[in-house]
Amino acid sequence: MPRTVIRSVRPWGGPSSDVVLDDAVVREVVPAGEAAAGEVEVAGDDGILVPSFSDVHVHLDSTRLGLPFRPLTAGPTRWDRIMNDRASWRTAEAPVADRATETLRRMIALGATRVRSHAQVDADSKLEKFEGVLAAREAHRDAASVEIVVFPQVGIHLEPGVPELMDEALRAGGDLVGGIDPCEIDRDPRRHLDTVFGLAERHGKGIDLHLHEPGELGLFSMSLLTERVRALGMQGRVSISHAFALGSGLPGVERAIDGLAELDVAVTTIAPGGRLDLPLERMVTAGVRVGLGMDGQRDYWSPWGNADMLERAWMLAYTQGWSRDDLIELGLAVATWGGASVIDGTTPRLTGVGHRPGLAPGDPAELVVLRGETPTSAVMDRLPGRTVIHAGRVVAADGELV
Amino acid sequence: MPRTVIRSVRPWGGPSSDVVLDDAVVREVVPAGEAAAGEVEVAGDDGILVPSFSDVHVHLDSTRLGLPFRPLTAGPTRWDRIMNDRASWRTAEAPVADRATETLRRMIALGATRVRSHAQVDADSKLEKFEGVLAAREAHRDAASVEIVVFPQVGIHLEPGVPELMDEALRAGGDLVGGIDPCEIDRDPRRHLDTVFGLAERHGKGIDLHLHEPGELGLFSMSLLTERVRALGMQGRVSISHAFALGSGLPGVERAIDGLAELDVAVTTIAPGGRLDLPLERMVTAGVRVGLGMDGQRDYWSPWGNADMLERAWMLAYTQGWSRDDLIELGLAVATWGGASVIDGTTPRLTGVGHRPGLAPGDPAELVVLRGETPTSAVMDRLPGRTVIHAGRVVAADGELV
């Protein structure tokens, strides 16, 4: 791998520096102009260098980005949306693999090089959606790392054959076992979680479970999950997606957060609208690994989502009600390094407000150069003209893959 | 005024049409290609025609848009921010008038032709901020209508001379009497409101009162305000800005909303982050006039705000948790026509979801052509390339004033 020098960038908005990359890691950071010539030279143009984005909660299998806009035809409940997707996805203008590949391309071009995508496995689609996400990962294998969660969107025990399909997908390249709302979907939380943890144990995989359940119900499901993490020694290998119950303000939230920290259960958020968001600063300070994701992207569930994790970081800061620069930078840290620490249990977690991680010698050369005066102004303005680096190589510049 | 024809636009995303403007109103809407030649022809390029944006809650006097980015130096409370502004505004790189004029230019270029700006009047700045907003209005008098609220940001009775300054500003071109948090700032709600309503009566002006007070306290202040509206016959001439208490979910909210509807007290929202937003669909359906605003714009209070009301409509839809097309269109209607109905008590109010107002013969020729496939996709994508019409004339195109 060629020794690469990024010339004149400002790590987290700091002094202008040259950043030397080698063997897919950051080798050294020196004042601008002081690095010896690299085999590859990258003009930083005094941009802001931060770790690349990690989209740790996306559904590449459902995206319609780039296709004709389609009004939403789903009813208001989660089940309505599940069934609207089932009724619609086969008639999309392009197959899953093409849609997933195109959306992943956009995500990388905008700065995400670490992705955790769910891939729905159910009695209707069988492994077709999963295989579409596999194809997208393969298409961009040199530009991004993609983890795939084998995701039983329609529940595990409502329709026949789902555990067997999940088993097959885990053998065929799935990285994590998914699950969803153990009470509300299967209406049998013990059986749901036993199957999820059983698959994880059998395959030696981690878990990422969607938990939309609100308030006390969500806290109950969370407690069922964490007691299994403790009993099975799964510390550091389980994530909860959404975890809306942690935004409920209920008295049980504080204890739940401490429990997640103790058992090293990660949380991914999408900066949801229409509800109070998670107590993010508290969670990070408590030691919970937290990452950010885009969720669906203009799909059969909603028109939201546009592949730009910098904009999602901006939405995160807004939904959190943040105006302070150090908090907005925390949002950027969650969207970049926070997600990296969710994906890889060996990446050190964010320690709190003011932590500017990921740019020290030895850190992975997964980087993005943003335009802006400060990290906060970069989040506010969400400008184009980004340079994206994966495994020490420039993989995208000015919105195009290279 | 020349007869103007906008060729091939889609009103609210409907069939492609020619829209004829004359004497600053919409004269007729006919199928594309059927309008006789106008003295001025405007290419609609099959864009989506909607009423122009109304930013009905903006602080033109505090903006720093276009100046070097400045990290936030304020503490967490509202009072901290008031005092941070006081300590900082005189050392801005440009005087108030220039800053307000530049930000208003950006707002118009992005599609807002109806504006209600607050202008702070206090013992420190006296009338200097107010006069800066007057200058901005004058500079763009042919491109937008601007109302000015004489706004006692620091309270009315805490420092000497404020009622007299307000009186002077109302004689010098102020359009509305402002007020703020009658309990929390002056800590004497009766005296605060008596002064506000007294000034309004003496000058024959309407009222726009900032009400950040939360929960029961905000509902109490709201009841003090509405009882004065009823006693003084001020129906249709009073607005409440923010009205965060209506987002509290308390049992008193329903009755408060019905009271606002009965007394025709309008509400302006900024689609706030970090808290549950107002029950907007309920409010519009109940008959409350509701408009949207940008609030401060990258000022001494926060880094948020960027002059783009289409993006603020998108944030409104997101913070409301809306995914249905008809709800997202309601957000666009609030950001355009809803605000117009707040500014002008004779503009018919929005009637609810599905109402596509403002493009019928006789409606004011205050219009914007957006790029997109449907109104929802236009909100989602927030594309440039807009054409902005004020009083029947094109005042901006492709991001530049003409």
Side-chain angles (χ1 to χ4, degrees):
Chain A
M1 177 156 303
R3 183 173 172 282
T4 296
V5 179
I6 315 173
R7 292 280 172 197
S8 300
V9 282
R10 291 175 292 132
W12 284 102
S16 192
S17 306
D18 293 343
V19 177
V20 182
L21 314 177
D22 202 4
D23 286 334
V25 301
V26 174
R27 195 58 71 194
E28 60 173 345
V29 180
V30 297
E34 294 193 3
E39 294 162 82
V40 175
E41 294 266 327
V42 178
D45 295 327
D46 237 30
I48 294 172
L49 185 72
V50 293
S52 62
F53 293 103
S54 305
D55 185 334
V56 291
H57 187 100
V58 65
H59 294 264
L60 283 174
D61 55 346
S62 66
T63 175
R64 291 183 49 86
L65 274 184
L67 295 184
F69 187 80
R70 185 181 188 283
L72 187 65
T73 47
T77 71
R78 185 156 295 110
W79 192 255
D80 291 336
R81 293 180 181 200
I82 290 171
M83 287 300 134
N84 184 57
D85 177 89
R86 179 171 284 191
S88 310
W89 73 278
R90 283 189 194 282
T91 57
E93 295 85 339
V96 177
D98 293 1
R99 290 186 278 129
T101 300
E102 164 60 12
T103 290
L104 181 57
R105 182 192 69 74
R106 293 179 183 223
M107 293 164 60
I108 297 165
L110 291 165
T113 71
R114 300 180 261 215
V115 174
R116 177 182 285 182
S117 176
H118 297 267
Q120 178 171 338
V121 168
D122 73 325
D124 165 61
S125 66
K126 304 270 189 321
L127 295 188
E128 194 172 337
K129 293 177 178 178
F130 171 76
E131 286 161 356
V133 179
L134 274 183
R137 168 162 78 182
E138 181 61 25
H140 295 296
R141 62 176 304 142
D142 295 331
S145 311
V146 178
E147 280 193 339
I148 304 177
V149 184
V150 176
F151 175 46
Q153 170 84 73
V154 196
I156 297 177
H157 297 293
L158 296 179
E159 300 183 311
V162 177
E164 293 73 18
L165 286 164
M166 292 177 73
D167 191 83
E168 194 176 340
L170 289 162
R171 280 186 275 111
D175 300 289
L176 293 130
V177 184
I180 179 169
D181 296 341
C183 292
E184 286 192 342
I185 300 278
D186 274 348
R187 309 185 74 75
D188 186 345
R190 177 175 170 165
R191 188 172 180 214
H192 186 92
L193 290 171
D194 283 351
T195 304
V196 168
F197 279 84
L199 282 164
E201 196 166 28
R202 188 151 65 253
H203 291 272
K205 307 283 191 183
I207 291 169
D208 188 322
L209 183 126
H210 277 63
L211 191 56
H212 314 87
E213 292 169 359
E216 287 85 352
L217 184 64
L219 294 176
F220 168 67
S221 288
M222 214 175 283
S223 73
L224 293 180
L225 180 130
T226 50
E227 71 191 24
R228 281 166 175 76
V229 171
R230 188 190 302 276
L232 300 173
M234 293 276 288
Q235 288 88 341
R237 303 183 56 209
V238 176
S239 306
I240 302 176
S241 285
H242 301 305
F244 291 148
L246 296 179
S248 64
L250 288 168
V253 167
E254 291 297 310
R255 205 171 65 175
I257 290 173
D258 291 335
L260 298 178
E262 183 205 340
L263 294 163
D264 202 6
V265 173
V267 171
T268 72
T269 182
I270 60 164
R275 62 174 73 235
L276 287 175
D277 204 352
L278 308 182
L280 209 60
E281 185 186 354
R282 160 83 172 96
M283 290 168 66
V284 170
T285 306
V288 180
R289 298 177 198 263
V290 185
L292 183 66
M294 184 69 73
D295 210 4
Q297 304 194 69
R298 192 172 283 200
D299 60 12
Y300 300 99
W301 287 59
S302 99
W304 300 98
N306 68 352
D308 187 357
M309 280 294 291
L310 177 56
E311 181 155 281
R312 187 57 58 132
W314 175 86
M315 292 161 82
L316 177 71
Y318 196 71
T319 53
Q320 288 283 325
W322 288 340
S323 288
R324 266 167 45 202
D325 296 73
D326 58 352
L327 288 172
I328 291 164
E329 287 183 29
L330 174 64
L332 191 54
V334 166
T336 56
W337 192 256
S341 80
V342 169
I343 287 177
D344 177 358
T346 67
T347 299
R349 69 192 69 191
L350 288 174
T351 55
V353 176
H355 186 192
R356 296 175 151 190
L359 305 181
D363 282 331
E366 304 286 327
L367 307 167
V368 60
V369 182
L370 305 176
R371 299 293 136 207
E373 299 167 74
T374 73
T376 297
S377 81
V379 172
M380 289 296 131
D381 294 341
R382 297 155 280 154
L383 295 172
R386 308 174 199 166
T387 301
V388 186
I389 291 161
H390 168 65
R393 289 180 36 259
V394 173
V395 294
D398 291 322
E400 299 295 334
L401 265 51
V402 294
Chain B
M1 178 156 302
R3 184 175 172 279
T4 297
V5 179
I6 314 172
R7 293 280 171 197
S8 300
V9 281
R10 290 174 293 132
W12 284 103
S16 191
S17 305
D18 294 342
V19 176
V20 182
L21 314 177
D22 203 3
D23 287 334
V25 301
V26 174
R27 195 58 73 193
E28 61 173 345
V29 180
V30 298
E34 293 192 5
E39 294 162 81
V40 175
E41 296 264 326
V42 179
D45 294 326
D46 238 31
I48 294 172
L49 186 71
V50 294
S52 62
F53 292 103
S54 307
D55 185 334
V56 293
H57 187 98
V58 65
H59 294 265
L60 283 174
D61 55 347
S62 66
T63 175
R64 290 182 50 86
L65 274 183
L67 295 184
F69 186 80
R70 186 181 187 284
L72 187 64
T73 47
T77 71
R78 185 156 295 109
W79 192 256
D80 291 334
R81 293 180 181 199
I82 289 171
M83 287 300 132
N84 185 57
D85 176 89
R86 179 172 284 191
S88 310
W89 73 278
R90 284 189 194 280
T91 58
E93 295 84 340
V96 178
D98 293 0
R99 290 186 278 130
T101 300
E102 165 60 12
T103 289
L104 182 57
R105 183 193 68 74
R106 293 179 184 222
M107 291 164 63
I108 297 165
L110 291 165
T113 71
R114 298 179 264 214
V115 174
R116 177 182 285 182
S117 175
H118 297 268
Q120 178 170 337
V121 168
D122 73 325
D124 164 60
S125 66
K126 306 269 190 321
L127 296 187
E128 192 172 336
K129 293 178 178 177
F130 171 76
E131 286 161 357
V133 180
L134 274 182
R137 168 162 78 182
E138 181 61 25
H140 295 297
R141 62 176 304 142
D142 295 330
S145 311
V146 178
E147 280 193 339
I148 304 177
V149 183
V150 176
F151 175 47
Q153 171 84 71
V154 196
I156 296 178
H157 298 293
L158 294 181
E159 301 182 308
V162 178
E164 294 74 18
L165 287 165
M166 293 178 73
D167 191 83
E168 194 177 339
L170 289 162
R171 280 187 275 110
D175 300 290
L176 294 130
V177 184
I180 179 168
D181 296 340
C183 292
E184 286 192 341
I185 302 277
D186 275 348
R187 308 185 75 76
D188 187 346
R190 178 175 169 166
R191 189 172 179 216
H192 186 93
L193 290 171
D194 283 353
T195 304
V196 168
F197 279 83
L199 283 165
E201 196 167 28
R202 188 150 68 254
H203 290 274
K205 307 284 191 184
I207 291 168
D208 189 321
L209 184 128
H210 278 62
L211 190 57
H212 313 88
E213 292 169 359
E216 286 87 353
L217 184 66
L219 294 176
F220 169 66
S221 289
M222 212 175 284
S223 73
L224 293 179
L225 180 132
T226 51
E227 71 192 22
R228 282 166 173 75
V229 171
R230 187 191 301 277
L232 300 171
M234 293 276 289
Q235 288 87 342
R237 304 183 55 210
V238 177
S239 305
I240 301 175
S241 284
H242 299 306
F244 290 148
L246 296 180
S248 64
L250 289 167
V253 167
E254 291 297 309
R255 204 170 67 174
I257 290 173
D258 291 336
L260 298 178
E262 183 206 340
L263 295 164
D264 202 7
V265 173
V267 172
T268 71
T269 182
I270 60 163
R275 58 175 74 235
L276 286 175
D277 205 352
L278 308 181
L280 211 60
E281 184 184 356
R282 160 82 172 95
M283 290 168 66
V284 170
T285 307
V288 179
R289 298 175 198 265
V290 185
L292 183 66
M294 182 71 71
D295 210 3
Q297 304 193 68
R298 191 173 284 202
D299 59 13
Y300 299 99
W301 288 57
S302 99
W304 300 98
N306 68 353
D308 188 356
M309 280 294 292
L310 178 55
E311 181 156 282
R312 187 55 59 130
W314 174 86
M315 291 160 83
L316 178 71
Y318 196 72
T319 54
Q320 288 283 324
W322 287 341
S323 288
R324 267 167 44 203
D325 295 73
D326 58 354
L327 289 173
I328 291 163
E329 289 185 27
L330 174 64
L332 192 54
V334 165
T336 57
W337 192 255
S341 81
V342 169
I343 287 177
D344 178 358
T346 66
T347 299
R349 71 193 68 191
L350 288 174
T351 56
V353 177
H355 185 193
R356 296 175 150 190
L359 306 181
D363 282 331
E366 303 286 329
L367 307 167
V368 60
V369 182
L370 305 177
R371 299 292 135 208
E373 299 168 73
T374 74
T376 297
S377 81
V379 172
M380 289 297 131
D381 293 340
R382 299 154 279 152
L383 295 172
R386 307 173 199 167
T387 302
V388 187
I389 291 162
H390 168 64
R393 290 184 351 21
V394 173
V395 294
D398 291 322
E400 299 295 334
L401 264 52
V402 296

